[in-house]
Amino acid sequence: MPDISFLIIMLLAFGALWFMSSRSRKQQREAADFRNNLAVGDEVMTGSGLFGTVTAIDGDVVTLESTPGSSTRWLRAAIARRSEPVVVDDGADDAPAVVENTPVVDVPDDLSSLPPEPPAPADGDSDRDSK
């Protein structure tokens, strides 16, 4: 007569394996559905991390535009996920706020207009020795 505890352990092990594989199958099915429903204009990321916009789909080949005028062709299986569209900032709101009574510092473009540095203290004139 087989030991009941051994059978219970085996059933728990098979149950855990089935549960893990069903989650994995579900994720694979969702990824396949995503890839099959790609449309022109979608913002996506490839498995290697390239972000781009889908510009054309021809069977299993997807053409992505990463920057304007730069198109690359990818296998449909290489598309990992949909990404949020990139927001282009026009910089209008980035202007620094002007604070009242703050002096304006004129920063030169090169170092030639700066005054010379004060000479370095001699070996015996350091602050450490005067304390």
Side-chain angles (χ1 to χ4, degrees):
M1 179 168 185
D3 189 13
I4 295 295
S5 61
F6 177 74
L7 289 176
I8 291 173
I9 291 173
M10 292 302 290
L11 285 174
L12 287 174
F14 282 120
L17 286 174
W18 180 82
F19 179 71
M20 289 187 304
S21 67
S22 67
R23 288 184 61 195
S24 181
R25 281 189 307 248
K26 180 181 176 187
Q27 289 174 345
Q28 289 174 352
R29 188 172 38 250
E30 288 173 354
D33 288 343
F34 158 71
R35 289 185 192 109
N36 289 333
N37 295 324
L38 281 177
V40 173
D42 286 347
E43 296 282 331
V44 296
M45 184 185 83
T46 64
S48 61
L50 177 92
F51 288 91
T53 305
V54 177
T55 58
I57 300 173
D58 183 27
D60 281 342
V61 178
V62 177
T63 304
L64 298 180
E65 184 177 48
S66 57
T67 57
S70 174
S71 295
T72 54
R73 295 173 39 159
W74 295 80
L75 283 175
R76 187 183 294 258
I79 308 298
R81 65 179 175 92
R82 184 171 281 118
S83 66
E84 296 297 321
V86 177
V87 177
V88 177
D89 189 14
D90 59 359
D93 296 346
D94 291 341
V98 177
V99 179
E100 298 287 328
N101 300 327
T102 302
V104 177
V105 178
D106 186 28
V107 178
D109 289 337
D110 60 0
L111 297 177
S112 64
S113 63
L114 290 176
E117 281 190 40
D123 289 340
D125 296 339
S126 70
D127 291 336
R128 190 172 32 134
D129 293 338
S130 64
K131 290 183 183 179

